[in-house]
Amino acid sequence: GGLTTPEDTAIPIDLSISDKESTLNCALALSVRSENISVIPDKNIFISATDSGCKIQLLPASNAVGQSTLSVSVSDGSLTTKSSFQLNVSPVNDAPTLTTVSAITGATEDSFMEIAYGTLKAATDAADVDFSDGISFRIGAVNSGTLEKWNGSEWNTVIAGITLLSSGERLQWKPAPDA
């Protein structure tokens, strides 16, 4: 049961609080605490007033998934009422990131140089918070020379924009003649 929000997505909750003897101020009368601060840190719980009551905004920790029980207390200064509810943070598939590809050196003129997946991965800052071992590289362009991929029995010419290199696979590159 409870409420659900996707990973990295805030969830707003509208509340109405009242007291027969006094007017309650949301910021002073309402408190919310998270049982699982790795999913919903207390610093990511925001309380504000609205025209019709109070609003609680809950923001999961970055890339966090799981559950937290949230305890809500309302106090008029002398009496306190408490309640709790469950918040489930569901996973989403985050896009991998890649911003840097360093040069891979060591080629010899007129000779093929083998490039293993691990060599290419080490030359990049590629990352995927969801699948650290599942990153594949799509070969976007071959600007010079010849690039081939081993298919298990023979070398095939890389097709820019289509060929993928995944963990355990390898390429070979031969510079253009007399380059």
Side-chain angles (χ1 to χ4, degrees), residues 96-173:
T97 59
L98 174 66
T99 56
T100 303
V101 180
S102 300
I104 299 172
T105 60
T108 305
E109 185 175 6
D110 299 327
S111 297
F112 278 101
M113 178 178 107
E114 190 166 299
I115 304 167
Y117 170 86
T119 303
L120 179 58
K121 186 155 184 340
T124 74
D125 66 348
D128 188 333
V129 298
D130 297 315
F131 306 104
S132 61
D133 294 333
I135 294 176
S136 294
F137 295 94
R138 182 176 311 279
I139 309 301
V142 180
N143 296 327
S144 69
T146 304
L147 187 63
E148 299 175 331
K149 180 181 173 185
W150 182 250
N151 74 4
S153 61
E154 63 184 2
W155 292 99
N156 293 312
T157 301
V158 165
I159 301 170
I162 295 176
T163 301
L164 292 175
L165 183 69
S166 300
S167 181
E169 296 180 329
R170 58 192 168 137
L171 302 168
Q172 69 175 5
W173 179 70

Side-chain angles (χ1 to χ4, degrees), residues 23-46:
T23 302
L24 298 176
N25 175 309
C26 292
L28 299 175
L30 189 62
S31 70
V32 182
R33 295 288 173 252
S34 174
E35 182 181 281
N36 186 348
I37 60 172
S38 65
V39 175
I40 304 289
D42 285 334
K43 69 179 183 147
N44 289 7
I45 300 172
F46 306 96

Side-chain angles (χ1 to χ4, degrees), residues 41-83:
D42 285 334
K43 69 179 183 147
N44 289 7
I45 300 172
F46 306 96
I47 300 170
S48 60
T50 65
D51 290 339
S52 61
C54 303
K55 179 180 274 189
I56 302 170
Q57 181 100 357
L58 304 170
L59 177 62
S62 181
N63 295 313
V65 295
Q67 301 176 344
S68 184
T69 299
L70 291 117
S71 300
V72 181
S73 299
V74 179
S75 176
D76 65 3
S78 54
L79 296 174
T80 301
T81 298
K82 296 180 180 182
S83 185

